[in-house]
Amino acid sequence: MTALKNDRFLRALLKQPVDVTPVWMMRQAGRYLPEYRATRAKAGDFVSLMKNPELACEVTLQPLDRYPQIDAAILFSDILTIPDAMGQGLYFETGEGPRFRKIIRSLADIEALPIPDPEQDLGYVMDAVRTIRRELNGRVPLIGFSGSPWTLATYMVEGGSSKDFRQSKAMLYSDPQAMHALLGKLADSVTAYLNGQIRAGAQAVQIFDSWGGSLSAAAYQEFSLAYMQKIVNGLIREHEGRRVPVILFTKGGGLWLESMAETGAEALGLDWTCDIGQARARVGDKVALQGNMDPSVLYATPAAIRTEVARILKAYGAGSGHVFNLGHGITPQVDPAHAAAFFEAVHELSAPYHA
Ligand code: CP3
């Protein structure tokens, strides 16, 4: 494999010295980019795009070609590939988000779910990872990802997106054994899936726990963090002679950073509700931090974006261990020129913190 030309993202995750703070953006390949919309139109729809390794590679590279500052690529895919491979039948209703043809509601449904084999059942994802690594040719590292068991379970039980998680929380409280059976199967599936991505060439992995923050403190420990811990314990941690860092991102998890830092993950993703300087003081040397600008700042002027980037860099302070990102994904309405202002500001303003 080609040597990495830019490894500051991997170095920052391991708290090794860097010249400037590395940056990438959640959903950096997405609908705010006209070139993404053109490739999606060529594919027909989002699911067809995601299942086509050549086109998935094309959209993964689009933000890197437009914004030379980006320090990491993220596999273009979705967290819902696993429930799809378990037989639920993923599709997207225009303007309504993800849906499943089959919904999971009982212990019998859960017991019937297979644990997908990454190469057999999710081969299109593994092929996309291999294709992207080849095309990146060492430019920047490639991030693989998965949803957390709890986050995947909410989609599987609700049948799609939800505001109140009525069905999944009802199962959690009225039939905890069934929920544990589902989460256990998902933890095994996610571990195999991420290890498949690592073998195929992913150089860091992120676990998206988008809905962990909807849980009570006690339920978070038992139904989300415990299963992410199982995954961390089962992951390949060295590949191609390098550490493969793990990033845990619980949106709304700012109150629980200390326990997340105990899992053995290298880094924690932060949403914008916590102060990154206070977060750093709380976790100490245990983990690196990734985040945490409110994506809505990108609706404001380039000058306002720069001011907010400067504020977050200052809050984190001097030294390595910070990967700049948004606190959640960029939205489709953002002007691509505003994303440019964000990427440029991170590199331009961060050098003094690494002197
Ligand atoms: O970050 C990246 O650039 C990589 C690609 C990526 C996508 N989804 C592509 C996508 C990643 C990392 C994801 C993760 C994902 N998918 C999460 C976790 C992160 C988060 O946002 O909290 C979740 C919850 C999903 C499930 C999902 N996929 C939803 C709820 C939706 C619809 C909502 C929306 O944004 O429209 C998707 C669709 C989706 N996944 C799109 C993209 C680019 C938009 C679909 C389109 O192009 O029409």
Side-chain angles (χ1 to χ4, degrees):
M1 288 268 182
T2 334
L4 266 175
K5 295 172 188 105
N6 171 358
D7 66 351
R8 61 167 79 88
F9 166 72
L10 295 178
R11 294 181 61 83
L13 290 174
L14 301 175
K15 297 181 153 242
Q16 295 165 352
V18 288
D19 53 347
V20 291
T21 302
V23 62
W24 68 281
M25 202 186 249
M26 285 190 265
R27 292 274 167 96
Q28 64 192 17
R31 287 162 293 180
Y32 74 107
L33 290 178
E35 56 271 35
Y36 169 82
R37 298 194 297 269
T39 309
R40 190 185 58 183
K42 197 159 73 178
D45 56 43
F46 170 73
V47 173
S48 310
L49 171 58
M50 165 187 100
K51 291 190 174 179
N52 180 322
E54 295 300 325
L55 295 181
C57 174
E58 184 177 307
V59 296
T60 300
L61 300 181
Q62 284 170 349
L64 302 170
D65 290 336
R66 189 187 266 262
Y67 307 111
Q69 297 83 10
I70 296 182
D71 293 299
I74 180 159
L75 162 70
F76 187 82
S77 189
D78 199 80
I79 63 166
L80 301 176
T81 51
I82 286 185
D84 186 53
M86 288 176 147
Q88 279 194 272
L90 172 67
Y91 67 101
F92 280 77
E93 205 75 87
T94 338
E96 292 199 40
R99 289 283 175 82
F100 290 113
R101 293 202 166 76
K102 186 176 178 326
I103 298 177
I104 302 303
R105 285 285 158 82
S106 66
L107 187 58
D109 291 341
I110 293 164
E111 282 170 348
L113 290 170
I115 292 179
D117 176 274
E119 289 292 342
Q120 295 279 316
D121 307 315
L122 290 154
Y124 66 90
V125 179
M126 305 303 134
D127 287 341
V129 171
R130 285 187 277 262
T131 307
I132 297 163
R133 269 302 294 278
R134 193 184 67 224
E135 294 302 314
L136 275 172
N137 195 26
R139 217 160 128 187
V140 292
L142 175 62
I143 307 168
F145 71 90
S146 171
S148 72
W150 166 250
T151 294
L152 292 175
T154 66
Y155 286 99
M156 294 171 78
V157 173
E158 304 294 336
S161 300
S162 172
K163 283 202 162 67
D164 54 7
F165 308 102
R166 189 159 60 91
Q167 302 288 350
S168 32
K169 287 197 178 181
M171 185 191 283
L172 184 158
Y173 286 111
S174 60
D175 195 355
Q177 252 183 306
M179 184 51 85
H180 277 303
L182 176 56
L183 295 169
K185 262 194 179 174
L186 285 168
D188 290 345
S189 303
V190 169
T191 305
Y193 184 52
L194 288 177
N195 281 338
Q197 293 183 32
I198 292 166
R199 285 191 194 95
Q203 291 150 296
V205 293
Q206 175 154 332
I207 301 174
F208 285 94
D209 187 25
S210 305
W211 306 123
S214 73
L215 293 168
S216 71
Y220 175 72
Q221 296 287 332
E222 181 181 347
F223 293 92
S224 186
L225 190 63
Y227 291 94
M228 294 199 283
Q229 175 75 70
K230 256 192 104 184
I231 295 164
V232 173
N233 293 346
L235 289 178
I236 297 169
R237 305 308 294 275
E238 298 272 339
H239 193 66
E240 300 176 51
R242 268 190 108 121
R243 187 89 181 154
V244 183
V246 179
I247 307 163
L248 292 188
F249 172 55
T250 293
K251 184 163 176 286
L255 292 169
W256 309 318
L257 299 178
E258 289 86 351
S259 52
M260 294 170 75
E262 298 288 340
T263 56
E266 276 74 11
L268 305 182
L270 300 179
D271 67 31
W272 60 92
T273 61
C274 41
D275 177 90
I276 195 168
Q278 287 171 10
R280 185 182 189 184
R282 284 165 56 200
V283 300
D285 275 336
K286 279 219 166 96
V287 287
L289 296 172
Q290 177 174 276
N292 70 335
M293 193 176 92
D294 181 347
S296 303
V297 176
L298 296 174
Y299 297 136
T301 59
I305 293 165
R306 212 175 156 81
T307 302
E308 186 63 7
V309 167
R311 190 191 63 74
I312 292 166
L313 287 169
K314 186 169 177 216
Y316 184 83
S320 187
H322 182 201
V323 171
F324 216 106
N325 206 310
L326 303 175
H328 202 206
I330 183 172
T331 54
Q333 301 79 16
V334 169
D335 179 343
H338 289 203
F342 169 79
F343 290 123
E344 286 162 13
V346 174
H347 279 192
E348 281 174 29
L349 302 175
S350 63
Y353 296 100
H354 302 283

mmCIF file of all heavy atoms in Angstrom, residues 32 128 262-263 285 330 347:
data_model
loop_
_atom_site.group_PDB
_atom_site.id
_atom_site.type_symbol
_atom_site.label_atom_id
_atom_site.label_comp_id
_atom_site.label_asym_id
_atom_site.label_seq_id
_atom_site.Cartn_x
_atom_site.Cartn_y
_atom_site.Cartn_z
ATOM 1 N N TYR A 32 -25.300 19.416 -0.402
ATOM 2 C CA TYR A 32 -24.940 20.837 -0.577
ATOM 3 C C TYR A 32 -24.013 21.005 -1.777
ATOM 4 O O TYR A 32 -23.835 22.123 -2.257
ATOM 5 C CB TYR A 32 -24.291 21.397 0.715
ATOM 6 C CG TYR A 32 -22.878 20.908 0.948
ATOM 7 C CD1 TYR A 32 -21.787 21.758 0.756
ATOM 8 C CD2 TYR A 32 -22.625 19.592 1.334
ATOM 9 C CE1 TYR A 32 -20.486 21.302 0.939
ATOM 10 C CE2 TYR A 32 -21.329 19.137 1.516
ATOM 11 C CZ TYR A 32 -20.265 19.993 1.318
ATOM 12 O OH TYR A 32 -18.984 19.543 1.486
ATOM 13 N N ALA A 128 -16.250 -0.704 -2.131
ATOM 14 C CA ALA A 128 -16.126 0.764 -2.138
ATOM 15 C C ALA A 128 -14.879 1.171 -1.353
ATOM 16 O O ALA A 128 -14.101 2.014 -1.803
ATOM 17 C CB ALA A 128 -17.384 1.415 -1.537
ATOM 18 N N GLU A 262 -13.561 5.903 29.031
ATOM 19 C CA GLU A 262 -13.063 4.672 29.661
ATOM 20 C C GLU A 262 -13.113 3.459 28.739
ATOM 21 O O GLU A 262 -12.644 2.377 29.103
ATOM 22 C CB GLU A 262 -13.911 4.320 30.908
ATOM 23 C CG GLU A 262 -13.882 5.342 32.026
ATOM 24 C CD GLU A 262 -12.561 5.368 32.770
ATOM 25 O OE1 GLU A 262 -11.809 4.371 32.685
ATOM 26 O OE2 GLU A 262 -12.262 6.398 33.401
ATOM 27 N N THR A 263 -13.735 3.594 27.561
ATOM 28 C CA THR A 263 -13.956 2.416 26.709
ATOM 29 C C THR A 263 -12.703 1.920 26.014
ATOM 30 O O THR A 263 -12.696 0.813 25.488
ATOM 31 C CB THR A 263 -14.971 2.732 25.593
ATOM 32 O OG1 THR A 263 -14.476 3.872 24.865
ATOM 33 C CG2 THR A 263 -16.358 3.024 26.146
ATOM 34 N N ASP A 285 -5.932 13.222 29.479
ATOM 35 C CA ASP A 285 -5.095 12.658 28.423
ATOM 36 C C ASP A 285 -5.668 11.389 27.814
ATOM 37 O O ASP A 285 -5.079 10.802 26.924
ATOM 38 C CB ASP A 285 -3.700 12.321 28.996
ATOM 39 C CG ASP A 285 -2.799 13.542 28.961
ATOM 40 O OD1 ASP A 285 -3.071 14.431 28.129
ATOM 41 O OD2 ASP A 285 -1.854 13.597 29.772
ATOM 42 N N ILE A 330 -23.268 18.544 7.902
ATOM 43 C CA ILE A 330 -23.600 19.746 7.127
ATOM 44 C C ILE A 330 -24.964 19.513 6.451
ATOM 45 O O ILE A 330 -25.279 18.392 6.048
ATOM 46 C CB ILE A 330 -22.492 20.055 6.083
ATOM 47 C CG1 ILE A 330 -22.795 21.351 5.321
ATOM 48 C CG2 ILE A 330 -22.254 18.903 5.120
ATOM 49 C CD1 ILE A 330 -21.652 21.825 4.415
ATOM 50 N N HIS A 347 -7.212 25.630 9.121
ATOM 51 C CA HIS A 347 -5.759 25.522 8.906
ATOM 52 C C HIS A 347 -5.058 26.855 9.152
ATOM 53 O O HIS A 347 -4.002 26.900 9.779
ATOM 54 C CB HIS A 347 -5.462 25.017 7.490
ATOM 55 C CG HIS A 347 -5.582 23.523 7.352
ATOM 56 N ND1 HIS A 347 -5.136 22.835 6.261
ATOM 57 C CD2 HIS A 347 -6.097 22.581 8.189
ATOM 58 C CE1 HIS A 347 -5.369 21.536 6.423
ATOM 59 N NE2 HIS A 347 -5.958 21.365 7.579
#
